[in-house]
Amino acid sequence: MQSIYAMHQNGSDSLEKEEKFLLYSIDNILDLYLIMLSSLIEISKKEEVYIEKSSQKHLATAEERNPNKKFVNNSIFKLLTENNSLSIALENRKINNWSLNDDYILILLDEIKKSELYENYMSNSTNAFAEDQQFVVDIFMEVIAPNEKLYEYLEDNKLTWVDDIPVVNTQIVKQLKQLKSANDESFKVPKLYKDQEDKEFVSNLFRKTVLNETELAKEYIDKTPNWDTERIAEIDTIILKMAICEFLKFPSIPVKVTINEYLELAKEYSTPKSSIFINGILDNLVKEFEINKKLNKTGRGLM
């Protein structure tokens, strides 16, 4: 959707160039995921270094000589640090952002240590998995993810990440919450595509939507009598075209799946009333397509 919108905005007519950029942008989502997730590991490491240096000071206080190590002993930090899937992915993708820009890790660590979450967590020195897990989820959601300095860094690094940050953060929180124990080995870096067919679907949907935009638009133009066609939000027109493209040109995708998918996109990226508007049009179109036998769904598409 964002790629088609970008094509409209910059007036590009190079389908091949834009498709390559689309796949490049999707590929970079994995780097964003790894950068965000590895921030937790690096924050823990920085605190460990700080504790070690403080304990070795000539005039170290009693607290510095015998610090509360609950934070650095957090079982989630340790699990991520030792996770094979994550270590391999970081190595293969050459993710070294935090070693080159450790000032951002120090900023995040400082914000964490100022937070009430940290104060409450460190009120005792005993590690328990459930508490460790909830603490990491909370600091990620309430301190790391919303940090403006981090957001600016990510935006400067790759502009395409701006739209991907919420999706990546949601995925990370979901995975953190799914961990069952300190020894849980089920954590895996997710794949960008389920399989080759999934990757081909991305390219096919992009190509078929762009190449058939005029034809797809004709399907809904006369279905908007109460709307000035020229005033329909551009994002809404793209969402409608993509949904109609799935209805008519992807027989294995169920109608309900398509509708739900694009209503979620409308809620996320368009105007407050867009999902109602789009739902109404798609619902009417499905009825019309069924009457005219234009829906040729097969296999899974019949569900």
Side-chain angles (χ1 to χ4, degrees):
M1 182 190 72
Q2 291 102 317
S3 295
I4 297 173
Y5 181 77
M7 280 189 76
H8 289 185
Q9 294 300 302
N10 60 33
S12 173
D13 58 359
S14 174
L15 186 65
E16 187 176 347
K17 176 186 172 184
E18 295 301 331
E19 183 182 356
K20 282 183 179 178
F21 184 71
L22 166 64
L23 296 175
Y24 169 78
S25 300
I26 293 172
D27 187 61
N28 277 311
I29 293 174
L30 182 56
D31 288 351
L32 175 61
Y33 168 89
L34 293 170
I35 287 168
M36 291 299 294
L37 190 58
S38 64
S39 70
L40 292 169
I41 296 172
E42 296 306 319
I43 285 167
S44 174
K45 286 181 179 177
K46 280 294 180 192
E47 179 63 3
E48 204 158 2
V49 169
Y50 172 77
I51 288 174
E52 182 63 25
K53 285 183 177 178
S54 296
S55 68
Q56 294 177 357
K57 288 194 305 187
H58 180 61
L59 297 174
T61 64
E63 185 179 351
E64 287 171 332
R65 288 195 197 94
N66 187 31
N68 181 351
K69 292 189 176 183
K70 183 176 182 178
F71 182 84
V72 295
N73 287 334
N74 182 289
S75 54
I76 302 299
F77 291 153
K78 288 182 175 295
L79 187 153
L80 293 175
T81 302
E82 297 168 4
N83 183 265
N84 197 42
S85 172
L86 180 54
S87 297
I88 291 171
L90 290 169
E91 179 68 26
N92 288 345
R93 305 286 296 195
K94 296 179 171 56
I95 303 298
N96 60 353
N97 297 62
W98 301 135
S99 60
L100 299 175
N101 302 280
D102 67 340
D103 48 324
Y104 289 96
I105 295 299
L106 292 171
I107 289 169
L108 294 173
L109 177 57
D110 185 55
E111 289 300 312
I112 289 168
K113 292 172 79 170
K114 286 178 183 175
S115 70
E116 191 176 335
L117 289 169
Y118 180 84
E119 183 182 348
N120 292 337
Y121 178 70
M122 297 295 285
S123 62
N124 64 70
S125 58
T126 305
N127 286 94
F129 176 77
E131 186 186 17
D132 286 355
Q133 182 182 40
Q134 190 59 55
F135 173 70
V136 172
V137 168
D138 288 343
I139 62 167
F140 187 84
M141 292 176 65
E142 297 182 31
V143 181
I144 297 173
N147 186 273
E148 289 185 10
K149 293 287 186 183
L150 177 61
Y151 181 88
E152 288 169 6
Y153 167 74
L154 295 172
E155 185 179 24
D156 289 344
N157 200 296
K158 280 190 175 64
L159 189 58
T160 56
W161 280 347
V162 172
D163 287 327
D164 301 324
I165 291 170
V167 177
V168 165
N169 288 343
T170 299
Q171 174 64 25
I172 290 173
V173 169
K174 178 184 175 183
Q175 286 187 277
L176 291 173
K177 286 181 175 180
Q178 287 174 341
L179 294 170
K180 302 298 182 188
S181 72
N183 301 313
D184 194 334
E185 296 180 358
S186 67
F187 187 94
K188 295 285 188 294
V189 172
K191 294 179 180 179
L192 287 171
Y193 306 100
K194 288 185 292 185
D195 48 34
Q196 185 60 29
E197 184 182 347
D198 194 33
K199 185 175 182 179
E200 289 171 1
F201 166 72
V202 172
S203 293
N204 287 336
L205 177 60
F206 176 73
R207 282 178 166 272
K208 288 181 179 182
T209 302
V210 171
L211 292 173
N212 296 284
E213 281 202 80
T214 303
E215 172 195 330
L216 296 169
K218 288 177 182 177
E219 299 288 355
Y220 68 80
I221 283 176
D222 62 348
K223 306 295 186 301
T224 57
N226 299 322
W227 297 73
D228 181 344
T229 305
E230 292 183 0
R231 294 182 63 190
I232 298 174
E234 187 168 2
I235 286 291
D236 290 354
T237 67
I238 294 170
I239 288 172
L240 285 169
K241 289 169 188 173
M242 291 176 72
I244 295 166
C245 186
E246 279 194 20
F247 286 157
L248 301 178
K249 301 181 184 297
F250 291 85
S252 66
I253 301 178
V255 167
K256 285 185 179 179
V257 171
T258 296
I259 292 176
N260 290 339
E261 193 80 28
Y262 289 100
L263 288 183
E264 286 303 312
L265 279 176
K267 289 174 186 175
E268 183 72 29
Y269 292 102
S270 198
T271 63
K273 293 182 180 179
S274 288
S275 61
I276 299 170
F277 165 67
I278 288 170
N279 187 47
I281 292 179
L282 294 181
D283 193 47
N284 287 332
L285 280 173
V286 168
K287 291 173 183 174
E288 182 181 300
F289 291 160
E290 286 174 340
I291 292 170
N292 296 330
K293 301 190 184 305
K294 291 181 74 172
L295 287 179
N296 298 309
K297 297 295 183 181
T298 58
R300 289 177 299 172
L302 296 170
M303 294 172 64

